[in-house]
Structures are given as structure tokens and as C-alpha cells.
Amino acid sequence: MGDLDPRAFPLRGRRVVLGVGGGIAAYKAAELARLLMGAGAEVRAVMTPAAREFLTPLTLQTLTGHPVGTDLFDLGQESEIGHIRLAEQADLVIVAPATADLLARMASGMANDLLTTLLLVTRAPVLLAPAMNVHMWSHELVQENVRRLVGLGRIHLVGPDDGWLACRMTGPGRLAEPADILEAAGRLLVPHDLAGRSVLVTAGPTHEALDPARYLANRSSGKMGYALARAAAARGARVTLVTGPTALAAPLGVAVVRVTTALELEAAVSSRAAEQDLVVMAAAVADFRAARAATKKLKKATLGATPTITLAENPDVLAGLGRARAERGARLPVLVGFAAETGRVTDEARRKLVAKGCDLIVGNDVSRRDAGFATDTNRVTIVGPGKKLARVPLATKDEVAHRILDAAAALVSAARK
Ligand code: PMT
């Protein structure tokens, strides 16, 4: 992964201040710091005095590699001025856990410790992850404080989750999972250039039945399509993910439509296409299906030595959308296809751009071990209007997804003008 492109991934190289409030969930801030560091963020931790009753600054200092800001009035600590400067330079401030007391102090504009001071100084987006007792969370005053803070527009909320709480009660008040906080943080750092748009993404393989036990399929894991759905949702779109069979969890905030065959995928896509601003076809749709799938399991004994399967051609879903759009004379939805190739990737991408009548084709060399099917990384060439090329070097599929959406979102906004 040496030559991963650092530009696109939302947290890489970003300065994140992690504010920790004084609640039992403070111990999870250590896991969150680790995840943020793993995503490439530069993390500086600031703890309230109460937080230090639950977690030692040494833990966060060791994980982040930086001194932890704790005291506003400790002249021996470089943190006061240094952390105020950090607040000015931060790309994002996360407060986890955000206790009822912290929310109240923030909502009334208090600056009586280092963290609340820093929160008044920063102009960066702030992500609050509340955690508290279920009755505290539902209290009118806490809810009023949350409404007030979120109403400012720059302060966002993740969680709290519903579940078992340290006070031995069950209900809303549990700190959001660190992985969900990480995802919410990433969403705040990507451009919201698809806000209010509808985006449909296809992902995964299709399975074409031969009999009740066997099917024709391909090596698609769905990872590229799911990354695109996640990235589009992060950029503010309403996302529908039409997915063939995969082992992946549904991305947060995405409507998932599960299909098995190419014909089902075509029906799911074409019935929704007219409502979309953007359709991205990352699915590896089978070109052929069995002309007649057997209703009973085919028996070796009755098939003979070398059985023959007669195939029928599946509809080309993407080309169908391109044709339908051209016939209506419409500019929407913007159509993005992929070209999975094992050679002459750019030439084939250019050919498919024209043949399928789409706006962008993402050429994907699937003969490489670190790109294409079932990998966590990809390397693609985007062929677009005027046959312009953008090469996306080896990067995670999430990063590649954002680079594809950089190009697609520009076309969506041009088409809407
Ligand atoms: O799922 P992963 O494991 O992460 O792998 C990602 C991927 C390699 C599957 C993905 O990056 C990719 O390249 N997807 C397209 C696979 C494919 O079917 O390529 P194609 O060159 O055969 O098809 C070209 C385009 O037409 C594609 O957008 C495809 O979705 C579409 N198509 C193809 C056949 C068909 N009958 N209908 C279609 O709409």
C-alpha cells in the first residue's frame, strides 16, 4: 500500500481535536483515538478535569503521541496556548463522550475549562457523541441544550445509541460505537456536493441459476459498489444501493435493495432510474443466464459425461439506461459505468463510454492482485466527457469512490443548471 494516494480520504492528514468529557464511556475515547490515528488523522486530545477520573491522560498521550491538554490555568503546561492554537487550526473537533454537564456548559457559552474554551475558539465543525443515563438524556433541559447546539449549524450529533448503560439501565444514552463516530467524522470532512441529490449505486455480482443448487456467478465482492454508496451518502445524497448477493453489511443511512439475478437488477434499477440524479453501475452483471434453469437439481447420472448448458443473453442494464435517456432527450440521470478489463483498459473504457451512452466510464484493470475483484484497494482510469482521462493511483476503495464522485458530482451539478 506504499503508493496510496493520500488526497481523497477524508481523515488522512486532517487535524482532529478529541475532547473527552467526564463519564464512564470516557474509556472508549482511547479506542476512538486509535481508530482516528489508523485513518491517518493527526489527533490531539483534550480532557476535562472530570474525564481524568475515568481515563488517564497518559493513555491518550501514548496513543496520539502528543501531550494531552487538561488544565486551563496550569502555567507549567504548554497546552493552554498550544491547544487554543490547535483549536484554530483544527479541521474537526470531536467530543466523546459529551456529558450532560458539557452540553449544558457548551449551550450556555461557558469557557470554564480548557475544552469548553477551545470549543468557543474553534471555527471547525464539531461532532458531539453524547453519553449519559437514559433519564438524563431524555430530560427536557438536556434536549433543549442539544437542540440549541445543533441549531447553530456547525455542531453535529452522532448517537447516542440505544442499549445497556453502565447505570444498569437500558435505553438511549449509550455512546455511539467508536467506528460509527469515525464514520460520522469522515462525513463531516468530505464535500457535501451531492446534498439533496438522489443517487443509485449497483454493487456485487449477480447469480444466474442453473438449477436449484447451482448458479453462474463472478468474483465481485461488492466492496467497490458499497464504497461508492457510502461515499455518496457521506456527500449528502439520498442513496439507494441495488446489490447482488454479498457478505457485506449495509452502509449507514443507505436504502438497500437486494437482488439475485441480472433480470431482477434490471427491474430494480430501471423502475427507479427516472428519480435519480446519478446512477453508478459498479455491479458485475452477468452477461448470460441459463436459457432455461432446471426446476429440479440436475443429476450427474442423467446429464451424461459433458453436459451442455444453453445460455441466453441478459439485458445490458447500463446501455438500456443510456438509450432511454437519449430517447427522452434528458440530461439526467448522469450515468457512470465501469469497464472491468484484463487488457487495453483505457481503449475499452472509451469504447464502452460511447457504446453504452454514459457520461463516465471507470476503467478497472481486474488482472492485478491489488485492484479489481474482492480487494480492499483499487486503481482506476476515469474516462469522461471529451474523452478526458483521470488516473486514480492505488488507493483504498473508499478513496477511489470519492475520486469517482468528484468527477460525477461536477457533472450532476452541471446537468442541474
Ligand atoms: O465488487 P468488487 O469485488 O469490489 O469488484 C469491483 C468490480 C471489479 C466488480 C468493479 O470495480 C467493476 O469493474 N464493475 C463492473 C464489472 C462489469 O460488469 O464490467 P463490464 O465491463 O462487464 O460491464 C460494463 C458496465 O456495464 C458495468 O458498469 C456493468 O455494471 C454494466 N453492465 C454489464 C453487463 C450487463 N448485462 N449490464 C450492465 O449494466
Side-chain angles (χ1 to χ4, degrees), residues 80-208:
E80 181 191 340
I81 300 302
H83 277 86
I84 296 295
R85 194 171 307 122
L86 274 175
E88 287 169 344
Q89 295 171 348
D91 295 304
L92 175 68
V93 179
I94 302 175
V95 183
T99 59
D101 173 70
L102 248 177
L103 294 174
R105 288 191 287 132
M106 284 179 74
S108 53
M110 288 175 78
N112 57 350
D113 63 16
L114 184 59
L115 181 55
T116 47
T117 304
L118 183 153
L119 284 161
L120 281 185
V121 171
T122 190
R123 297 293 104 202
V126 174
L127 179 63
L128 300 176
M132 65 196 73
N133 164 276
V134 59
H135 296 310
M136 286 170 92
W137 173 248
S138 59
H139 196 288
E140 297 84 337
L141 289 174
V142 172
Q143 288 302 310
E144 179 54 36
N145 288 335
V146 169
R147 264 194 303 279
R148 191 159 186 204
L149 289 165
V150 172
L152 296 176
R154 202 168 39 80
I155 298 184
H156 308 266
L157 213 60
V158 52
D161 286 353
D162 207 318
W164 189 85
L165 302 168
C167 55
R168 293 176 176 71
M169 298 181 83
T170 304
R174 193 181 152 91
L175 185 75
E177 287 304 318
D180 292 340
I181 301 175
L182 182 78
E183 176 150 355
R187 287 184 179 208
L188 291 177
L189 291 173
V190 296
H192 277 214
D193 48 7
L194 289 172
R197 311 290 196 195
S198 296
V199 175
L200 185 147
V201 178
T202 67
T206 62
H207 288 181
E208 311 296 332

Side-chain angles (χ1 to χ4, degrees), residues 6 43 64 81 83 87 146 155 179 211 232-233 262 276 313 319 325 339 365 377 407:
V43 182
T64 63
I81 300 302
H83 277 86
V146 169
I155 298 184
D211 70 13
Q276 308 301 322
E313 196 168 341
R325 190 180 61 165
D365 186 345
T377 53

Side-chain angles (χ1 to χ4, degrees), residues 346-417:
T346 306
D347 290 347
E348 278 305 299
R350 285 196 166 118
R351 188 184 64 73
K352 287 182 179 172
L353 182 77
V354 177
K356 303 203 181 212
C358 39
D359 302 289
L360 296 175
I361 282 277
V362 181
N364 204 164
D365 186 345
V366 294
S367 63
R368 311 188 61 142
R369 288 170 62 100
D370 53 7
F373 291 115
T375 53
D376 289 325
T377 53
N378 212 353
R379 177 193 283 110
V380 301
T381 302
I382 306 171
V383 178
K387 308 222 167 87
K388 270 202 196 140
L389 286 185
R391 290 188 200 284
V392 183
L394 190 70
T396 64
K397 281 185 171 164
D398 285 300
E399 296 178 79
V400 172
H402 277 290
R403 298 296 298 280
I404 294 167
L405 292 182
D406 286 344
L411 295 180
V412 169
S413 88
R416 272 279 178 224
K417 276 184 189 145

Side-chain angles (χ1 to χ4, degrees), residues 152-336:
L152 296 176
R154 202 168 39 80
I155 298 184
H156 308 266
L157 213 60
V158 52
D161 286 353
D162 207 318
W164 189 85
L165 302 168
C167 55
R168 293 176 176 71
M169 298 181 83
T170 304
R174 193 181 152 91
L175 185 75
E177 287 304 318
D180 292 340
I181 301 175
L182 182 78
E183 176 150 355
R187 287 184 179 208
L188 291 177
L189 291 173
V190 296
H192 277 214
D193 48 7
L194 289 172
R197 311 290 196 195
S198 296
V199 175
L200 185 147
V201 178
T202 67
T206 62
H207 288 181
E208 311 296 332
L210 299 175
D211 70 13
R214 305 174 178 95
Y215 55 81
L216 292 173
N218 58 65
R219 291 178 50 222
S220 171
S221 63
K223 287 180 180 176
M224 189 66 242
Y226 278 57
L228 280 155
R230 251 192 320 273
R235 294 166 88 122
R238 277 183 302 278
V239 182
T240 305
L241 174 65
V242 176
T243 175
T246 74
L248 304 176
L252 265 182
V254 165
V256 178
V257 179
R258 297 185 191 280
V259 298
T260 303
T261 65
L263 290 176
E264 288 171 13
L265 186 137
E266 184 197 33
V269 172
S270 57
S271 62
R272 293 171 175 83
E275 306 143 22
Q276 308 301 322
D277 294 288
L278 170 65
V279 172
V280 186
M281 293 280 303
V285 186
D287 287 318
F288 297 96
R289 64 183 184 279
R292 194 176 308 224
T295 52
K296 295 235 161 65
K297 188 179 170 198
L298 300 169
K299 294 279 182 200
K300 206 155 98 181
T302 51
L303 281 172
T306 47
T308 304
I309 298 164
T310 307
L311 298 177
E313 196 168 341
N314 275 329
D316 188 317
V317 183
L318 180 58
L321 292 178
R323 263 194 317 275
R325 190 180 61 165
E327 280 159 15
R328 289 202 319 269
R331 288 194 291 170
L332 289 171
V334 167
L335 296 177
V336 178

